[in-house]
Amino acid sequence: MVRRTILITGGAGFIGSHVVRRFVNGYPEYDIINCDKLTYAGNLENLKDVESRGNYFFEKVDIVDKPAVAALFEKYKIDGVIHLAAESHVDRSITSPETFIYTNIIGTVNLLNVALAHWKDSFDGKLFYHISTDEVFGSLGQDGLFTESSPYDPRSPYSASKASSDHLVRAYWHTYGLPVVVTNCSNNYGPNQFPEKLIPLAINNIKNNKPVPIYGKGDNVRDWLYVEDHAEAIDIIFHRGKSGSTYNIGGNNEWKNIDLIRLLCRVMDEKLGRQPGTSEKLITFVTDRPGHDKRYAIDSTKLQVTTGWKPIPDFRKGLEKTVDWYLANTEWLENIVSGEYEKYYESMYGNR
Ligand code: NAD
Ligand code: DAU
């Protein structure tokens, strides 16, 4: 049995909490250290079910604070990093790009430098796994898919900051030999996603009979992946990925925003016992996001062929599971949809 001490950054966020849960439950022989600043997007409620487990440790640390990151490595003798901590919402990056530069770029460099300093005598059994996004590749036209060799062409401050961090991670592999893996994933959905993102925002608004804002004409396309499928891919790649490699992760599941929201409206009508067509009346077209990328779609053949990983094939089922979770966890949602979020929502959508 191999013992490991793994630092998961951003573990209190949406994807991070699913990754922490999977590792804490699946690998009792590992110590899992969740390091999170607990920004507006970090919520320890997401991890209530694992917080008392003996192999789980939480540390409230800002990755921009290098001495604090170094102290974590010193305290726990970290030998693996799964780096998810980031500012993740494109709209927020348009109104306040600076935080994205600090957390996504400087924070990543801090982690790289501290890992390098601690591991430099032997890279054996060490891994720095950087979680990134398909948005670094820019926007696709009608056809084609992003592959691992697609050129970088980020268009928003968020994707530019993630692209920068990806380049830095790869530079540490080439320059210093730091063992790294990078994955670029498509849009995730599922339980615990903060309701600023399209699907949970729409679920919350439909539930409360509020307008569902669709940017532009609603013809932008995203490739949706159930969050637990992403966590499974991360588990597989952490254990079997080739050092220095990049893997694309995607749902093979492209939807125009408007078609996705119409499907969601039908699911919500059923779940809430409303007349068919009721929720669709809430759809409201609003001013488009500046620089809105038209289409993302991922080719994950490399991951599928080398590891056998596959996303769930039934999107409607995944969407229903997600809706069920949000309807069953009203307290979670209501705790979030107050205070700071209320102000953010007002500034985003209030005067449209
Ligand atoms: P999220 O916004 O839900 O969670 C981010 C977490 O990082 C939060 O818990 C937050 O408190 C923490 N954090 C933010 N700044 C920090 C800092 N300075 N120090 C320590 N912790 C900090 O994000 P998510 O959607 O779960 O995304 C996680 C990662 O996956 C990100 O790196 C994102 O770029 C990437 N990603 C997300 C998606 C998606 O669809 N959500 C798809 C592909 C890749
Ligand atoms: O592709 C991966 C990326 O997916 C991740 O890297 C990001 O962290 C994550 O936020 C997500 O980015 P998007 O910008 O694609 O996700 P978002 O949920 O914000 O928007 C999805 C689509 O829906 C996008 O085309 C914009 C549109 N949209 C979004 C919101 C919030 C609307 O039409 N109305 C809305 O209110």
Side-chain angles (χ1 to χ4, degrees), residues 129-167:
Y129 180 173
H130 177 62
I131 307 294
S132 193
T133 169
D134 60 359
E135 301 203 8
V136 297
F137 300 123
S139 185
L140 289 165
Q142 293 275 87
D143 308 310
L145 301 171
F146 294 130
T147 70
E148 284 80 3
S149 51
S150 294
Y152 272 38
D153 184 21
R155 314 288 188 94
S156 73
Y158 163 68
S159 54
S161 68
K162 291 295 289 186
S164 173
S165 65
D166 294 10
H167 290 319

Side-chain angles (χ1 to χ4, degrees), residues 14-15 18-19 21-22 185-193 199 203 223-234 249-253 309-326:
F14 165 47
I15 302 170
H18 289 272
V19 176
R21 176 175 303 101
R22 187 178 175 96
C185 187
S186 65
N187 286 65
N188 285 215
Y189 72 100
N192 306 96
Q193 187 168 30
I199 290 179
I203 293 173
D223 171 4
W224 293 94
L225 176 70
Y226 193 63
V227 63
E228 286 177 5
D229 287 350
H230 190 186
E232 183 191 32
I234 290 171
I249 309 173
N252 197 22
N253 178 38
W309 173 86
K310 272 193 178 25
I312 52 160
D314 190 340
F315 180 54
R316 188 182 167 117
K317 223 182 245 169
L319 205 54
E320 284 186 10
K321 256 164 74 170
T322 305
V323 169
D324 287 343
W325 186 87
Y326 279 93

Side-chain angles (χ1 to χ4, degrees), residues 130-313:
H130 177 62
I131 307 294
S132 193
T133 169
D134 60 359
E135 301 203 8
V136 297
F137 300 123
S139 185
L140 289 165
Q142 293 275 87
D143 308 310
L145 301 171
F146 294 130
T147 70
E148 284 80 3
S149 51
S150 294
Y152 272 38
D153 184 21
R155 314 288 188 94
S156 73
Y158 163 68
S159 54
S161 68
K162 291 295 289 186
S164 173
S165 65
D166 294 10
H167 290 319
L168 285 158
V169 172
R170 293 192 185 104
Y172 275 60
W173 156 257
H174 289 292
T175 308
Y176 308 109
L178 187 77
V180 307
V181 166
V182 177
T183 54
N184 296 91
C185 187
S186 65
N187 286 65
N188 285 215
Y189 72 100
N192 306 96
Q193 187 168 30
F194 195 86
E196 64 190 350
K197 308 279 164 61
L198 180 65
I199 290 179
L201 183 141
I203 293 173
N204 188 41
N205 285 16
I206 293 169
K207 180 174 153 259
N208 295 308
N209 278 309
K210 281 169 60 177
V212 177
I214 301 292
Y215 298 165
K217 297 195 184 97
D219 55 359
N220 302 68
V221 174
R222 297 292 183 264
D223 171 4
W224 293 94
L225 176 70
Y226 193 63
V227 63
E228 286 177 5
D229 287 350
H230 190 186
E232 183 191 32
I234 290 171
D235 182 347
I236 291 171
I237 293 163
F238 181 79
H239 290 98
R240 290 159 51 198
K242 191 163 167 279
S243 207
S245 294
T246 292
Y247 298 86
N248 276 359
I249 309 173
N252 197 22
N253 178 38
E254 289 182 52
W255 285 81
K256 274 188 190 163
N257 292 338
I258 186 66
D259 295 338
L260 161 58
I261 293 303
R262 287 199 176 115
L263 171 63
L264 180 65
C265 286
R266 291 196 289 279
V267 170
M268 291 293 286
D269 282 345
E270 271 172 41
K271 300 278 177 192
L272 296 170
R274 292 179 181 169
Q275 283 295 321
T278 310
S279 301
E280 233 182 270
K281 296 200 183 94
L282 296 167
I283 292 176
T284 309
F285 292 94
V286 299
T287 313
D288 209 352
R289 172 185 280 173
H292 195 172
D293 287 338
K294 192 73 182 179
R295 176 173 164 255
Y296 305 143
I298 279 276
D299 178 350
S300 60
T301 307
K302 177 179 173 184
L303 174 62
Q304 298 204 27
V305 167
T306 54
T307 70
W309 173 86
K310 272 193 178 25
I312 52 160

